[in-house]
Amino acid sequence: MRPEDLYSDVVMFHYKNSSHKGKIKNPTAEQEGSNLSCGDSLHLYIELNGDILEKVTFDGHGCAVSIASASILADLVEGKSKEEAVEIIQEFYKMIKGEDFNAELLGDAMVFENLKQFPVRVKCATLAWHTLEQLLK
Ligand code: ZN
């Protein structure tokens, strides 16, 4: 795998066309996260309905990998319970570390399966996930 393979169609689609970009007016919770090694800086917003993540959005700036990963994450966890979202995040970490993971839960996030070959990019791809994890605690 070459580094440029990280910028697959799926990644570029989410980077350019994310339907989760922007603020939520009255978010239930919000959290900022940054990755100094690349200069990625994201702000996550969630709207909860009971225990369900009704809406998940983000804004900020970052490289294609960090933005696409945030968009993919938002797609995956929207409509899920907090508990399910935490489980999805854990499966993503397992995949990144090269451990066994539940592919059914990860959908488009599977594009980052080979990311572990590029340690610098791992921080970009996991930024939104760490940020959401903090937010849900
Ligand atoms: Zn980055």
Side-chain angles (χ1 to χ4, degrees):
M1 186 178 170
R2 301 158 303 162
E4 55 266 38
D5 290 340
L6 285 176
Y7 302 94
S8 67
D9 291 347
V10 176
V11 169
M12 292 319 287
F13 176 82
H14 279 280
Y15 177 53
K16 290 180 178 163
N17 309 296
S18 179
S19 52
H20 300 278
K21 260 186 199 159
K23 287 185 172 68
I24 294 175
K25 257 188 191 163
N26 296 303
T28 313
E30 55 186 295
Q31 176 79 39
E32 222 169 296
S34 56
N35 166 25
L36 298 176
S37 64
C38 177
D40 307 318
S41 174
L42 295 177
H43 199 115
L44 247 64
Y45 306 85
I46 61 170
E47 192 182 311
L48 285 174
N49 181 0
D51 198 38
I52 302 295
L53 283 83
E54 189 94 346
K55 210 170 171 193
V56 181
T57 69
F58 66 93
D59 62 10
H61 54 86
C63 63
V65 170
S66 67
I67 299 292
S69 190
S71 174
I72 290 169
L73 169 65
D75 263 356
L76 285 174
V77 298
E78 215 172 67
K80 302 282 199 308
S81 69
K82 283 200 275 186
E83 199 179 321
E84 287 170 320
V86 168
E87 194 187 345
I88 290 169
I89 292 168
Q90 297 311 319
E91 292 303 314
F92 185 74
Y93 293 159
K94 283 188 210 167
M95 181 185 77
I96 293 287
K97 282 189 261 178
E99 296 169 5
D100 289 339
F101 64 96
N102 183 350
E104 272 173 40
L105 293 180
L106 291 183
D108 276 356
M110 300 269 295
V111 292
F112 296 121
E113 192 179 357
N114 294 314
L115 203 71
K116 53 188 181 292
Q117 299 171 34
F118 309 102
V120 176
R121 287 278 167 233
V122 166
K123 285 185 180 169
C124 302
T126 53
L127 173 60
W129 304 70
H130 284 306
T131 308
L132 182 63
E133 190 182 22
Q134 270 186 312
L135 212 168
L136 292 174
K137 267 176 191 165

